[in-house]
Amino acid sequence: MPFEAIERSSGGTSEASAVGRRPIDLDAATDVELLDAHVAGDRDAFGVLFRRHYNHLWQLAVRTCRIQEDAADSLQDALWSAHRNAARFRGDAEVRSWLHRIVVNACLDRMRRNKSRYSVSLSDESIAEPVVERDDIARLEVSMLVDSALMRLPDDQRAALVAIDMEGYSVAEAAQLLGVAEGTIKSRCARGRKRLQQELEFLRNPGNRM
């Protein structure tokens, strides 16, 4: 993620603007304190905040998008958006939830623009051949099948299921994150789970699990 390029393009913070501000321990600061420091002109605060949540946000982007290239591009788009619009954070939700919403919206926006890239690659060159026991291989293959089925869901259903079933948000929180009514979240989850159940029914037979 070219975070340094974003920092350079934004101009960073001048030495003069930093004079008179009490320095904070960025590593010990809360997410809100980091965001406030960034808005106030601290050139390092946003980087600390982003790196703190990078793994979570990357996994969210991968689960929401269909391919890793789109996930990477969406996460970069979200980073730019959060960096530019940090002053709009109202504090009515956790910073992590605010970042979650920005990433999901960036993923959905990119997928709408890339409808022609609907196909899903079932191979992942980033996953090395594991030297593991047979049971671990079987679990990995089941996990890949589940992920593949999840990727074939409509975007709105997948986003709702990721928020509820994978990220652990409540229905109310997911509705706020995705900007829809709670009933819509429930409906999307119900339809998505039904489709997953239909596609993965064959796994109920132990003979299909290696």
Side-chain angles (χ1 to χ4, degrees), residues 189-207:
C189 284
R191 294 199 302 270
R193 290 175 185 134
K194 183 176 181 180
R195 287 189 57 169
L196 287 178
Q197 183 178 10
Q198 292 171 344
E199 290 204 27
L200 300 173
E201 180 68 25
F202 71 98
L203 290 177
R204 291 180 179 274
N205 181 354

Side-chain angles (χ1 to χ4, degrees), residues 173-187:
E173 291 169 336
Q176 184 179 20
L177 286 171
L178 299 177
V180 297
E182 293 183 24
T184 301
I185 292 293
K186 293 178 182 178
S187 176

Side-chain angles (χ1 to χ4, degrees), residues 3-163:
F3 175 76
E4 293 79 4
I6 294 176
E7 285 293 294
R8 288 195 298 270
S9 68
S10 67
T13 303
S14 68
E15 294 298 326
S17 67
V19 174
R21 284 206 313 273
R22 184 179 64 182
I24 64 172
D25 183 347
L26 296 180
D27 291 331
T30 66
D31 289 350
V32 173
E33 288 171 341
L34 288 173
L35 205 59
D36 288 344
H38 165 64
V39 173
D42 190 305
R43 69 171 64 199
D44 298 318
F46 190 83
V48 174
L49 176 67
F50 181 72
R51 285 187 286 272
R52 180 179 293 179
H53 295 287
Y54 173 79
N55 288 338
H56 165 77
L57 297 176
W58 169 243
Q59 291 300 322
L60 172 65
V62 170
R63 289 167 177 166
T64 304
C65 290
R66 292 190 171 92
I67 57 177
Q68 288 201 4
E69 286 184 4
D70 281 347
D73 290 340
S74 297
L75 188 56
Q76 181 170 326
D77 291 344
L79 172 59
W80 275 100
S81 179
H83 189 272
R84 290 194 307 265
N85 299 307
R88 299 182 183 180
F89 177 72
R90 298 188 301 273
D92 54 354
E94 293 183 0
V95 173
R96 175 184 168 111
S97 297
W98 177 72
L99 292 172
H100 180 114
R101 172 185 283 185
I102 292 174
V103 171
V104 169
N105 286 339
C107 290
L108 295 179
D109 287 344
R110 181 163 292 275
M111 286 188 291
R112 293 187 190 103
R113 297 196 300 266
N114 296 336
K115 285 296 185 183
S116 61
R117 300 178 63 186
Y118 188 83
S119 61
V120 179
S121 174
L122 298 182
S123 63
D124 187 347
E125 296 179 356
S126 68
I127 300 178
E129 289 294 329
V131 182
V132 291
E133 297 297 328
R134 184 179 180 87
D135 287 347
D136 291 331
I137 294 176
R139 281 193 292 269
L140 176 60
E141 291 182 342
V142 169
S143 177
M144 292 174 64
L145 288 170
V146 172
D147 286 345
S148 177
L150 181 66
M151 293 301 175
R152 290 194 292 273
L153 292 178
D155 298 342
D156 56 355
Q157 293 177 19
R158 184 170 63 256
L161 284 177
V162 167

